[in-house]
PDB file of all heavy atoms in Angstrom:
ATOM      1  N   ALA V   1       9.069   4.155  20.259  1.00  0.00           N
ATOM      2  CA  ALA V   1       9.135   3.016  19.336  1.00  0.00           C
ATOM      3  C   ALA V   1       7.906   2.122  19.493  1.00  0.00           C
ATOM      4  O   ALA V   1       7.327   1.667  18.501  1.00  0.00           O
ATOM      5  CB  ALA V   1      10.415   2.215  19.574  1.00  0.00           C
ATOM      6  N   LEU V   2       7.485   1.897  20.723  1.00  0.00           N
ATOM      7  CA  LEU V   2       6.291   1.097  20.965  1.00  0.00           C
ATOM      8  C   LEU V   2       5.046   1.798  20.430  1.00  0.00           C
ATOM      9  O   LEU V   2       4.183   1.164  19.829  1.00  0.00           O
ATOM     10  CB  LEU V   2       6.131   0.813  22.462  1.00  0.00           C
ATOM     11  CG  LEU V   2       4.890   0.025  22.878  1.00  0.00           C
ATOM     12  CD1 LEU V   2       4.846  -1.328  22.195  1.00  0.00           C
ATOM     13  CD2 LEU V   2       4.853  -0.113  24.400  1.00  0.00           C
ATOM     14  N   GLN V   3       4.979   3.104  20.619  1.00  0.00           N
ATOM     15  CA  GLN V   3       3.840   3.859  20.110  1.00  0.00           C
ATOM     16  C   GLN V   3       3.722   3.733  18.596  1.00  0.00           C
ATOM     17  O   GLN V   3       2.633   3.494  18.069  1.00  0.00           O
ATOM     18  CB  GLN V   3       3.957   5.329  20.513  1.00  0.00           C
ATOM     19  CG  GLN V   3       3.738   5.546  21.987  1.00  0.00           C
ATOM     20  CD  GLN V   3       3.997   6.972  22.419  1.00  0.00           C
ATOM     21  OE1 GLN V   3       4.814   7.687  21.830  1.00  0.00           O
ATOM     22  NE2 GLN V   3       3.308   7.389  23.467  1.00  0.00           N
ATOM     23  N   ILE V   4       4.825   3.870  17.903  1.00  0.00           N
ATOM     24  CA  ILE V   4       4.815   3.757  16.444  1.00  0.00           C
ATOM     25  C   ILE V   4       4.393   2.347  16.029  1.00  0.00           C
ATOM     26  O   ILE V   4       3.618   2.168  15.084  1.00  0.00           O
ATOM     27  CB  ILE V   4       6.194   4.130  15.855  1.00  0.00           C
ATOM     28  CG1 ILE V   4       6.519   5.603  16.158  1.00  0.00           C
ATOM     29  CG2 ILE V   4       6.248   3.844  14.359  1.00  0.00           C
ATOM     30  CD1 ILE V   4       5.525   6.611  15.616  1.00  0.00           C
ATOM     31  N   GLU V   5       4.876   1.339  16.752  1.00  0.00           N
ATOM     32  CA  GLU V   5       4.488  -0.037  16.444  1.00  0.00           C
ATOM     33  C   GLU V   5       2.989  -0.256  16.671  1.00  0.00           C
ATOM     34  O   GLU V   5       2.299  -0.844  15.829  1.00  0.00           O
ATOM     35  CB  GLU V   5       5.279  -1.019  17.308  1.00  0.00           C
ATOM     36  CG  GLU V   5       4.916  -2.462  17.032  1.00  0.00           C
ATOM     37  CD  GLU V   5       5.679  -3.449  17.894  1.00  0.00           C
ATOM     38  OE1 GLU V   5       6.690  -3.075  18.518  1.00  0.00           O
ATOM     39  OE2 GLU V   5       5.248  -4.617  17.939  1.00  0.00           O
ATOM     40  N   VAL V   6       2.469   0.234  17.786  1.00  0.00           N
ATOM     41  CA  VAL V   6       1.048   0.075  18.094  1.00  0.00           C
ATOM     42  C   VAL V   6       0.191   0.777  17.044  1.00  0.00           C
ATOM     43  O   VAL V   6      -0.804   0.229  16.556  1.00  0.00           O
ATOM     44  CB  VAL V   6       0.726   0.607  19.512  1.00  0.00           C
ATOM     45  CG1 VAL V   6      -0.762   0.758  19.740  1.00  0.00           C
ATOM     46  CG2 VAL V   6       1.351  -0.306  20.567  1.00  0.00           C
ATOM     47  N   LEU V   7       0.576   1.984  16.676  1.00  0.00           N
ATOM     48  CA  LEU V   7      -0.184   2.724  15.669  1.00  0.00           C
ATOM     49  C   LEU V   7      -0.132   2.024  14.316  1.00  0.00           C
ATOM     50  O   LEU V   7      -1.129   1.984  13.592  1.00  0.00           O
ATOM     51  CB  LEU V   7       0.324   4.160  15.554  1.00  0.00           C
ATOM     52  CG  LEU V   7       0.146   5.014  16.809  1.00  0.00           C
ATOM     53  CD1 LEU V   7       0.671   6.424  16.570  1.00  0.00           C
ATOM     54  CD2 LEU V   7      -1.281   5.033  17.286  1.00  0.00           C
ATOM     55  N   GLY V   8       1.010   1.455  13.987  1.00  0.00           N
ATOM     56  CA  GLY V   8       1.128   0.705  12.736  1.00  0.00           C
ATOM     57  C   GLY V   8       0.224  -0.515  12.724  1.00  0.00           C
ATOM     58  O   GLY V   8      -0.428  -0.807  11.718  1.00  0.00           O
ATOM     59  N   ARG V   9       0.159  -1.197  13.843  1.00  0.00           N
ATOM     60  CA  ARG V   9      -0.719  -2.373  13.933  1.00  0.00           C
ATOM     61  C   ARG V   9      -2.187  -1.957  13.831  1.00  0.00           C
ATOM     62  O   ARG V   9      -2.989  -2.635  13.183  1.00  0.00           O
ATOM     63  CB  ARG V   9      -0.466  -3.137  15.222  1.00  0.00           C
ATOM     64  CG  ARG V   9       0.853  -3.868  15.204  1.00  0.00           C
ATOM     65  CD  ARG V   9       1.101  -4.570  16.544  1.00  0.00           C
ATOM     66  NE  ARG V   9       2.420  -5.151  16.565  1.00  0.00           N
ATOM     67  CZ  ARG V   9       2.668  -6.427  16.335  1.00  0.00           C
ATOM     68  NH1 ARG V   9       1.680  -7.251  16.067  1.00  0.00           N
ATOM     69  NH2 ARG V   9       3.899  -6.878  16.380  1.00  0.00           N
ATOM     70  N   PHE V  10      -2.529  -0.852  14.489  1.00  0.00           N
ATOM     71  CA  PHE V  10      -3.903  -0.358  14.416  1.00  0.00           C
ATOM     72  C   PHE V  10      -4.262  -0.032  12.968  1.00  0.00           C
ATOM     73  O   PHE V  10      -5.292  -0.464  12.468  1.00  0.00           O
ATOM     74  CB  PHE V  10      -4.074   0.878  15.306  1.00  0.00           C
ATOM     75  CG  PHE V  10      -5.475   1.431  15.291  1.00  0.00           C
ATOM     76  CD1 PHE V  10      -6.436   0.930  16.148  1.00  0.00           C
ATOM     77  CD2 PHE V  10      -5.821   2.447  14.412  1.00  0.00           C
ATOM     78  CE1 PHE V  10      -7.733   1.428  16.121  1.00  0.00           C
ATOM     79  CE2 PHE V  10      -7.111   2.945  14.380  1.00  0.00           C
ATOM     80  CZ  PHE V  10      -8.069   2.436  15.236  1.00  0.00           C
ATOM     81  N   ARG V  11      -3.399   0.723  12.305  1.00  0.00           N
ATOM     82  CA  ARG V  11      -3.662   1.071  10.902  1.00  0.00           C
ATOM     83  C   ARG V  11      -3.767  -0.182  10.040  1.00  0.00           C
ATOM     84  O   ARG V  11      -4.573  -0.245   9.120  1.00  0.00           O
ATOM     85  CB  ARG V  11      -2.578   2.009  10.372  1.00  0.00           C
ATOM     86  CG  ARG V  11      -2.708   3.430  10.875  1.00  0.00           C
ATOM     87  CD  ARG V  11      -1.787   4.388  10.133  1.00  0.00           C
ATOM     88  NE  ARG V  11      -0.398   3.982  10.143  1.00  0.00           N
ATOM     89  CZ  ARG V  11       0.529   4.452  10.986  1.00  0.00           C
ATOM     90  NH1 ARG V  11       0.216   5.354  11.873  1.00  0.00           N
ATOM     91  NH2 ARG V  11       1.766   4.027  10.914  1.00  0.00           N
ATOM     92  N   GLY V  12      -2.955  -1.179  10.332  1.00  0.00           N
ATOM     93  CA  GLY V  12      -2.992  -2.417   9.572  1.00  0.00           C
ATOM     94  C   GLY V  12      -4.298  -3.181   9.737  1.00  0.00           C
ATOM     95  O   GLY V  12      -4.735  -3.878   8.819  1.00  0.00           O
ATOM     96  N   GLN V  13      -4.935  -3.038  10.863  1.00  0.00           N
ATOM     97  CA  GLN V  13      -6.195  -3.730  11.111  1.00  0.00           C
ATOM     98  C   GLN V  13      -7.401  -2.989  10.546  1.00  0.00           C
ATOM     99  O   GLN V  13      -8.475  -3.575  10.396  1.00  0.00           O
ATOM    100  CB  GLN V  13      -6.390  -3.946  12.612  1.00  0.00           C
ATOM    101  CG  GLN V  13      -5.394  -4.935  13.181  1.00  0.00           C
ATOM    102  CD  GLN V  13      -5.559  -5.085  14.673  1.00  0.00           C
ATOM    103  OE1 GLN V  13      -5.836  -4.131  15.383  1.00  0.00           O
ATOM    104  NE2 GLN V  13      -5.376  -6.306  15.156  1.00  0.00           N
ATOM    105  N   VAL V  14      -7.232  -1.740  10.209  1.00  0.00           N
ATOM    106  CA  VAL V  14      -8.350  -0.932   9.710  1.00  0.00           C
ATOM    107  C   VAL V  14      -8.967  -1.550   8.458  1.00  0.00           C
ATOM    108  O   VAL V  14     -10.195  -1.573   8.314  1.00  0.00           O
ATOM    109  CB  VAL V  14      -7.905   0.528   9.456  1.00  0.00           C
ATOM    110  CG1 VAL V  14      -8.917   1.287   8.624  1.00  0.00           C
ATOM    111  CG2 VAL V  14      -7.679   1.239  10.787  1.00  0.00           C
ATOM    112  N   GLU V  15      -8.164  -2.072   7.578  1.00  0.00           N
ATOM    113  CA  GLU V  15      -8.696  -2.659   6.344  1.00  0.00           C
ATOM    114  C   GLU V  15      -9.643  -3.817   6.657  1.00  0.00           C
ATOM    115  O   GLU V  15     -10.727  -3.919   6.092  1.00  0.00           O
ATOM    116  CB  GLU V  15      -7.564  -3.130   5.432  1.00  0.00           C
ATOM    117  CG  GLU V  15      -8.050  -3.614   4.090  1.00  0.00           C
ATOM    118  CD  GLU V  15      -6.908  -3.989   3.161  1.00  0.00           C
ATOM    119  OE1 GLU V  15      -5.896  -3.258   3.119  1.00  0.00           O
ATOM    120  OE2 GLU V  15      -7.048  -5.015   2.469  1.00  0.00           O
ATOM    121  N   GLY V  16      -9.251  -4.670   7.578  1.00  0.00           N
ATOM    122  CA  GLY V  16     -10.101  -5.789   7.964  1.00  0.00           C
ATOM    123  C   GLY V  16     -11.387  -5.330   8.630  1.00  0.00           C
ATOM    124  O   GLY V  16     -12.472  -5.853   8.352  1.00  0.00           O
ATOM    125  N   TRP V  17     -11.277  -4.342   9.510  1.00  0.00           N
ATOM    126  CA  TRP V  17     -12.481  -3.817  10.165  1.00  0.00           C
ATOM    127  C   TRP V  17     -13.404  -3.172   9.146  1.00  0.00           C
ATOM    128  O   TRP V  17     -14.615  -3.331   9.210  1.00  0.00           O
ATOM    129  CB  TRP V  17     -12.129  -2.804  11.238  1.00  0.00           C
ATOM    130  CG  TRP V  17     -11.457  -3.377  12.448  1.00  0.00           C
ATOM    131  CD1 TRP V  17     -11.713  -4.589  13.041  1.00  0.00           C
ATOM    132  CD2 TRP V  17     -10.433  -2.772  13.214  1.00  0.00           C
ATOM    133  NE1 TRP V  17     -10.894  -4.760  14.130  1.00  0.00           N
ATOM    134  CE2 TRP V  17     -10.105  -3.668  14.262  1.00  0.00           C
ATOM    135  CE3 TRP V  17      -9.748  -1.570  13.123  1.00  0.00           C
ATOM    136  CZ2 TRP V  17      -9.127  -3.379  15.219  1.00  0.00           C
ATOM    137  CZ3 TRP V  17      -8.780  -1.277  14.080  1.00  0.00           C
ATOM    138  CH2 TRP V  17      -8.482  -2.182  15.106  1.00  0.00           C
ATOM    139  N   SER V  18     -12.818  -2.448   8.206  1.00  0.00           N
ATOM    140  CA  SER V  18     -13.635  -1.787   7.186  1.00  0.00           C
ATOM    141  C   SER V  18     -14.384  -2.811   6.343  1.00  0.00           C
ATOM    142  O   SER V  18     -15.560  -2.625   6.026  1.00  0.00           O
ATOM    143  CB  SER V  18     -12.769  -0.891   6.300  1.00  0.00           C
ATOM    144  OG  SER V  18     -12.224   0.161   7.070  1.00  0.00           O
ATOM    145  N   ALA V  19     -13.711  -3.898   5.981  1.00  0.00           N
ATOM    146  CA  ALA V  19     -14.376  -4.952   5.208  1.00  0.00           C
ATOM    147  C   ALA V  19     -15.496  -5.590   6.022  1.00  0.00           C
ATOM    148  O   ALA V  19     -16.583  -5.843   5.510  1.00  0.00           O
ATOM    149  CB  ALA V  19     -13.360  -6.011   4.782  1.00  0.00           C
ATOM    150  N   ALA V  20     -15.245  -5.828   7.298  1.00  0.00           N
ATOM    151  CA  ALA V  20     -16.268  -6.430   8.158  1.00  0.00           C
ATOM    152  C   ALA V  20     -17.445  -5.478   8.367  1.00  0.00           C
ATOM    153  O   ALA V  20     -18.594  -5.914   8.450  1.00  0.00           O
ATOM    154  CB  ALA V  20     -15.664  -6.828   9.498  1.00  0.00           C
ATOM    155  N   MET V  21     -17.174  -4.183   8.419  1.00  0.00           N
ATOM    156  CA  MET V  21     -18.259  -3.210   8.578  1.00  0.00           C
ATOM    157  C   MET V  21     -19.136  -3.162   7.334  1.00  0.00           C
ATOM    158  O   MET V  21     -20.296  -2.780   7.410  1.00  0.00           O
ATOM    159  CB  MET V  21     -17.704  -1.818   8.907  1.00  0.00           C
ATOM    160  CG  MET V  21     -17.236  -1.709  10.336  1.00  0.00           C
ATOM    161  SD  MET V  21     -16.806  -0.029  10.838  1.00  0.00           S
ATOM    162  CE  MET V  21     -15.257   0.226  10.000  1.00  0.00           C
ATOM    163  N   ALA V  22     -18.599  -3.579   6.204  1.00  0.00           N
ATOM    164  CA  ALA V  22     -19.381  -3.594   4.965  1.00  0.00           C
ATOM    165  C   ALA V  22     -20.311  -4.805   4.905  1.00  0.00           C
ATOM    166  O   ALA V  22     -21.211  -4.848   4.066  1.00  0.00           O
ATOM    167  CB  ALA V  22     -18.448  -3.591   3.754  1.00  0.00           C
ATOM    168  N   SER V  23     -20.118  -5.743   5.802  1.00  0.00           N
ATOM    169  CA  SER V  23     -20.940  -6.954   5.834  1.00  0.00           C
ATOM    170  C   SER V  23     -22.272  -6.683   6.521  1.00  0.00           C
ATOM    171  O   SER V  23     -22.311  -6.120   7.612  1.00  0.00           O
ATOM    172  CB  SER V  23     -20.191  -8.055   6.591  1.00  0.00           C
ATOM    173  OG  SER V  23     -21.059  -9.097   6.946  1.00  0.00           O
ATOM    174  N   ALA V  24     -23.339  -7.113   5.906  1.00  0.00           N
ATOM    175  CA  ALA V  24     -24.673  -6.899   6.482  1.00  0.00           C
ATOM    176  C   ALA V  24     -24.822  -7.593   7.829  1.00  0.00           C
ATOM    177  O   ALA V  24     -25.511  -7.089   8.711  1.00  0.00           O
ATOM    178  CB  ALA V  24     -25.746  -7.401   5.508  1.00  0.00           C
ATOM    179  N   GLN V  25     -24.168  -8.718   8.007  1.00  0.00           N
ATOM    180  CA  GLN V  25     -24.291  -9.446   9.263  1.00  0.00           C
ATOM    181  C   GLN V  25     -23.227  -9.050  10.290  1.00  0.00           C
ATOM    182  O   GLN V  25     -23.485  -9.105  11.480  1.00  0.00           O
ATOM    183  CB  GLN V  25     -24.190 -10.959   9.030  1.00  0.00           C
ATOM    184  CG  GLN V  25     -25.391 -11.570   8.348  1.00  0.00           C
ATOM    185  CD  GLN V  25     -25.368 -11.380   6.840  1.00  0.00           C
ATOM    186  OE1 GLN V  25     -24.311 -11.236   6.243  1.00  0.00           O
ATOM    187  NE2 GLN V  25     -26.541 -11.353   6.235  1.00  0.00           N
ATOM    188  N   GLY V  26     -22.048  -8.691   9.852  1.00  0.00           N
ATOM    189  CA  GLY V  26     -20.935  -8.520  10.779  1.00  0.00           C
ATOM    190  C   GLY V  26     -20.580  -7.104  11.171  1.00  0.00           C
ATOM    191  O   GLY V  26     -19.632  -6.896  11.924  1.00  0.00           O
ATOM    192  N   TRP V  27     -21.330  -6.128  10.717  1.00  0.00           N
ATOM    193  CA  TRP V  27     -20.909  -4.750  10.952  1.00  0.00           C
ATOM    194  C   TRP V  27     -20.928  -4.381  12.431  1.00  0.00           C
ATOM    195  O   TRP V  27     -20.036  -3.668  12.905  1.00  0.00           O
ATOM    196  CB  TRP V  27     -21.706  -3.761  10.109  1.00  0.00           C
ATOM    197  CG  TRP V  27     -23.140  -3.565  10.517  1.00  0.00           C
ATOM    198  CD1 TRP V  27     -24.225  -4.264  10.091  1.00  0.00           C
ATOM    199  CD2 TRP V  27     -23.633  -2.575  11.419  1.00  0.00           C
ATOM    200  NE1 TRP V  27     -25.366  -3.778  10.670  1.00  0.00           N
ATOM    201  CE2 TRP V  27     -25.033  -2.732  11.496  1.00  0.00           C
ATOM    202  CE3 TRP V  27     -23.031  -1.559  12.165  1.00  0.00           C
ATOM    203  CZ2 TRP V  27     -25.832  -1.932  12.296  1.00  0.00           C
ATOM    204  CZ3 TRP V  27     -23.826  -0.753  12.962  1.00  0.00           C
ATOM    205  CH2 TRP V  27     -25.206  -0.928  13.027  1.00  0.00           C
TER     206      TRP V  27
END
């Protein structure tokens, strides 16, 4: 159950990381 929760949180953060990686200054 903890593993599924951790993986869900990781997947949820991917969108934010992807947007930040698109930034010329913040990648």
Side-chain angles (χ1 to χ4, degrees):
L2 178 59
Q3 289 174 331
I4 297 301
E5 180 181 345
V6 167
L7 296 181
R9 288 177 186 260
F10 181 86
R11 285 191 306 262
Q13 292 177 323
V14 166
E15 186 176 318
W17 291 323
S18 295
M21 284 189 286
S23 165
Q25 288 81 26
W27 71 271

